[in-house]
Amino acid sequence: MADGNTKREITDKKERYRAGVLKYAQMGYWDGDYEPKPTDLLALFRITPQDGVDPIEAAAAVAGESSTATWTVVWTDRLTACDQYRAKAYRVEPVPGRPGEYFCYVAYDLILFEEGSIANLTASIIGNVFSFKPIKAARLEDMRLPVAYVKTFKGPPTGLVVERERLDKFGRPLLGATTKPKLGLSGKNYGRVVYEGLKGGLDFMKDDENINSQPFMHWRDRFLYVMEAVNKASAETGEVKGSYLNVTAGTMEEMYRRADFAKSLGSVIIMIDLVIGYTAIQSMAEWARQNDMILHLHRAGHGTYTRQKNHGVSFRVIAKWMRLAGVDHIHAGTAVGKLEGDPLTVQGYYNICREIYNPIDLPRGLYFEQDWADIKKVMPVASGGIHAGQMHQLIDLFGDDVVLQFGGGTIGHPMGIQAGATANRVALEAMILARNEGRDIRNEGPEILRAAAKWCKPLEAALDTWGDITFNYTSTDTSDFVPQVSASM
Amino acid sequence: MRITQGCFSFLPDLTDEQISAQVEYCLSKGWAIGIEYTDDPHPRNTYWEMWGNPMFDLKDAKGVMLELADCRKAHGDSYIRFNAFDSTRGFETVTMSFIVNRPKVEPRIRMVRQEVDGRSQRYSFETVR
């Protein structure tokens, strides 16, 4: 072992390439002096090294296993410009308040990645390294994607600006609801729920993630009845309406078939699930771009790898990948609803979807600045256990560019589905009007809602039914840089 | 039938005081207000007639309200809406839109079904008075 320092690259070539096993740091995967280039991809991993494994060596191993390294020295490295192909861990620091965990920053040269391929990016960055024995756990917390790389992707087929122009809806969040029960309705019954929700005041209805083409409802039946409902509601209100037709299926061929049928019926939007995979998502984005279609992505399955702090991939990274891959909508959390997510962390996801530039924002979990190079913006969707009584909180947290989806809060309304939809729409418009008038909706929100409920019976009934419902559990995935904020405010 | 386009159609019709407050909000954001009118509220009727160009560089809602009064004089039995235009890079679009005047009797929109392949329908809309 050269000079016996196991944390430094061995510079003597003979020593470096002698057959055998070296520490990753000795092989050159750690460089504490490295200054990342503007064209480098940067990744931040949270790692938990096995007992007795030095954090710097663990970081070097992560860099190695996610770029060129294997477990032993290979002479064939010398046929390549291997110094440049090696990813470099360049910073390691303990995670505040989490003993045994370290943040490790790794830089990758742009040449390592194929242009326009999320599959290629992820095969490198999360391909092998999460199963690597010397670390107990690893989590990809954030990435900085250089402009040169961002520009190799086409991004969202429609983007939130054009979506609003197509729908002719401006100045307020969009409203939606997921048709419930999610399984079991016949096509005719399903379309009834869609019609009632849209006529009552929603902009969108939505298929759920697991409604595809089951024995109780063939997909063509669903599409036909839903489009009858969408168009009828449009005629009754004078508004453009939509229902996310889920085209998720077992093969690309079948997904294209379903998407083509949705288009032939005049739908403005189709939907896919995250579980179809990154390449399938990019293909559907391509299809949507060619067919003037808004593409909604349900993040089905993400909780298996995004929720736990010590292992997996943070949702903020998934959101970045999906903006590149090209979806127009993505479920990004509610903060106040039934599903995981503390408010600041969730706001971080929203900023990734909607900003043209993200500054470093540690409380919101944004560790790198990110220039989006004018790639289109993704409309985030807040869905899961939210109701009209939280309208002020939702608008205060997320602003106007979001789809607020009240599934149970619409369909479970005591006066019926139309009344449920109307309650939500009135609550929304009353709150936007008040905010624009300069009122402090965070504090005066409940009063504003009650005042509107005086002339709107459906809203009164909604507040009486759900006004006190909160999901007050501690979040699992929280910021490492602020005092904990409770899940429900 | 009440057309529910625009961001405040589910509320009781706004008073001029309320309209003025929304204009102040738009001006405080640096948006320009454009006034548009139509007698055809078809959901795909994007281009209503412009009552002049959007009012850039305005500091006070009063100017917009005067224009609205004039527009109402000329087209009081039409739909009139305010559109706010945001020229910020990355938006560069209408950023708010709401109806400020309605005809005394609103038209109806009729859905027309045309039988095509199999059970598919081709849908279209007509404004009916």
Side-chain angles (χ1 to χ4, degrees):
Chain A
M1 297 241 156
D3 61 0
N5 186 337
T6 56
K7 291 189 190 175
R8 188 184 305 156
E9 181 177 3
I10 299 170
T11 47
D12 179 84
K13 299 289 183 203
K14 249 187 168 162
E15 292 289 333
R16 168 64 179 81
Y17 291 101
R18 181 177 296 155
V21 176
L22 290 176
K23 297 284 188 194
Y24 285 88
Q26 291 174 312
M27 291 196 279
Y29 296 100
W30 163 255
D31 181 353
D33 298 324
Y34 184 74
E35 293 273 351
K37 299 192 294 276
T39 53
D40 284 345
L41 275 84
L42 305 180
L44 170 62
F45 294 88
R46 174 201 301 263
I47 55 172
T48 311
Q50 296 282 6
D51 297 338
V53 173
D54 180 80
I56 284 185
E57 175 59 13
V62 167
E65 289 295 322
S66 58
S67 60
T68 55
T70 186
W71 60 278
T72 185
V73 171
V74 292
W75 67 267
T76 42
D77 265 345
R78 301 205 67 183
L79 301 174
T80 71
C82 56
D83 291 346
Q84 290 158 47
Y85 292 136
R86 272 184 215 118
K88 285 149 193 94
Y90 62 95
R91 197 167 132 197
V92 173
E93 57 197 30
V95 178
R98 305 270 299 184
E101 293 180 6
Y102 295 85
F103 282 136
C104 103
Y105 291 78
V106 182
Y108 302 83
D109 193 285
L110 192 54
I111 197 176
L112 299 176
F113 305 97
E114 179 175 348
E115 56 277 12
S117 170
I118 299 293
N120 175 255
L121 171 70
T122 52
S124 275
I125 307 290
I126 59 171
N128 258 346
V129 64
F130 287 68
S131 315
F132 194 54
K133 278 181 176 171
I135 49 177
K136 278 189 218 163
R139 186 185 203 223
L140 179 56
E141 288 286 344
D142 200 2
M143 290 196 76
R144 193 281 304 266
L145 306 156
V147 166
Y149 184 68
V150 171
K151 288 296 270 186
T152 67
F153 288 86
K154 291 184 191 164
T158 315
L160 76 82
V161 168
V162 176
E163 172 174 356
R164 283 189 177 283
E165 291 191 343
R166 283 196 202 159
L167 301 174
D168 193 32
K169 293 171 193 290
F170 309 97
R172 62 167 174 86
L174 302 177
L175 279 182
T178 308
T179 303
K180 305 276 177 181
K182 44 204 227 177
L183 298 172
L185 292 171
S186 70
K188 185 172 163 65
N189 287 340
Y190 196 92
R192 164 60 71 185
V193 180
V194 171
Y195 174 66
E196 298 292 318
L198 295 178
K199 187 183 177 201
L202 304 185
D203 304 300
F204 286 129
M205 291 292 290
K206 169 182 175 291
D207 288 349
D208 223 332
E209 74 283 357
N210 53 355
I211 191 81
N212 298 151
S213 191
Q214 284 99 326
F216 49 81
M217 179 168 58
H218 188 270
W219 67 273
R220 287 179 65 98
D221 250 347
R222 182 170 80 256
F223 286 20
L224 285 162
Y225 281 111
V226 164
M227 289 316 296
E228 169 76 15
V230 166
N231 284 292
K232 200 168 149 66
S234 210
E236 295 290 331
T237 59
E239 293 183 73
V240 180
K241 303 275 186 183
S243 188
Y244 319 159
L245 296 171
N246 190 351
V247 301
T248 298
T251 62
M252 282 313 295
E253 291 76 11
E254 184 61 16
M255 285 204 284
Y256 287 136
R257 196 172 293 135
R258 295 181 188 185
D260 283 332
F261 191 54
K263 182 195 172 195
S264 79
L265 296 175
S267 184
V268 296
I269 187 164
I270 60 166
M271 159 181 172
I272 49 175
D273 291 336
L274 182 59
V275 289
I276 66 174
Y278 302 136
T279 297
I281 291 170
Q282 285 193 256
S283 287
M284 289 313 296
E286 195 56 40
W287 183 92
R289 232 173 260 123
Q290 297 306 317
N291 291 280
D292 310 319
M293 195 66 82
I294 301 169
L295 184 62
H296 176 97
L297 177 75
H298 186 295
R299 56 176 175 170
H302 84 97
T304 52
Y305 47 88
T306 60
R307 189 175 189 187
Q308 298 303 324
K309 270 181 106 156
N310 67 336
H311 192 81
V313 180
S314 164
F315 186 73
R316 73 181 64 88
V317 177
I318 303 295
K320 286 187 177 180
W321 294 346
M322 289 304 102
R323 186 164 175 184
L324 294 183
V327 300
D328 293 315
H329 284 188
I330 189 168
H331 288 238
T334 64
V336 296
K338 69 177 178 183
L339 301 177
E340 169 71 28
D342 98 286
L344 287 171
T345 306
V346 172
Q347 280 178 333
Y349 308 154
Y350 278 62
N351 291 349
I352 286 167
C353 291
R354 301 187 302 196
E355 304 290 318
I356 55 175
Y357 166 81
N358 301 132
I360 291 174
D361 186 348
L362 296 181
R364 288 181 179 74
L366 305 182
Y367 294 87
F368 299 111
E369 55 180 347
Q370 176 65 49
D371 182 344
W372 286 103
D374 298 296
I375 201 165
K376 292 191 186 84
K377 300 165 186 171
V378 179
M379 181 80 88
V381 176
S383 181
I386 53 177
H387 55 78
Q390 296 162 325
M391 196 59 79
H392 52 295
Q393 297 171 325
L394 292 163
I395 294 172
D396 181 53
L397 280 168
F398 302 134
D400 288 352
D401 287 326
V402 54
V403 185
L404 301 175
Q405 292 196 165
F406 303 89
T410 299
I411 296 158
H413 193 282
M415 295 160 66
I417 300 169
Q418 276 194 35
T422 303
N424 288 318
R425 181 77 174 264
V426 168
L428 175 72
E429 294 192 358
M431 202 58 66
I432 294 291
L433 186 86
R435 181 200 62 187
N436 296 357
E437 286 171 351
R439 294 186 63 185
D440 170 13
I441 59 169
R442 194 193 306 203
N443 293 307
E444 298 172 41
E447 279 170 51
I448 294 163
L449 290 174
R450 277 292 166 194
K454 285 216 173 75
W455 56 266
C456 179
K457 285 280 165 223
L459 179 55
E460 184 178 45
L463 296 177
D464 289 345
T465 307
W466 298 300
D468 302 326
I469 304 293
T470 56
F471 296 90
N472 211 351
Y473 303 100
T474 307
S475 287
T476 311
D477 184 15
T478 49
S479 170
D480 289 290
F481 290 94
V482 281
Q484 303 301 295
V485 182
S486 79
S488 185
M489 293 165 297
Chain B
M1 122 189 193
R2 186 177 172 87
I3 300 293
T4 51
Q5 297 170 13
C7 58
F8 301 123
S9 282
F10 271 73
L11 304 180
D13 286 344
L14 304 189
T15 63
D16 278 8
E17 195 186 344
Q18 285 176 309
I19 293 169
S20 182
Q22 295 300 314
V23 172
E24 292 290 356
Y25 171 76
C26 295
L27 298 181
S28 76
K29 297 274 188 183
W31 303 337
I33 304 283
I35 301 179
E36 300 182 350
Y37 63 94
T38 190
D39 57 4
D40 178 16
H42 188 289
R44 300 285 183 185
N45 180 16
T46 298
Y47 302 117
W48 293 19
E49 299 304 320
M50 288 164 62
W51 183 259
N53 286 348
M55 289 167 261
F56 299 99
D57 310 316
L58 215 58
K59 298 277 176 286
D60 192 328
K62 279 201 195 79
V64 178
M65 297 309 288
L66 286 173
E67 287 295 327
L68 173 60
D70 285 350
C71 185
R72 274 177 176 156
K73 246 178 247 159
H75 303 285
D77 203 28
S78 296
Y79 291 96
I80 303 176
R81 72 182 175 197
F82 281 3
N83 280 353
F85 293 87
D86 182 359
S87 61
T88 311
R89 178 164 168 168
F91 287 98
E92 296 154 305
T93 184
V94 174
T95 192
M96 198 167 145
S97 177
F98 58 101
I99 293 176
V100 293
N101 196 77
R102 291 171 185 271
K104 279 186 273 314
V105 181
E106 295 196 44
R108 207 162 54 78
I109 293 171
R110 192 161 72 96
M111 178 172 82
V112 180
R113 294 183 189 85
Q114 186 195 351
E115 313 281 341
V116 282
D117 303 343
R119 294 173 50 230
S120 295
Q121 305 284 328
R122 189 107 329 133
Y123 298 96
S124 60
F125 303 112
E126 290 172 356
T127 307
V128 187
R129 253 156 264 278

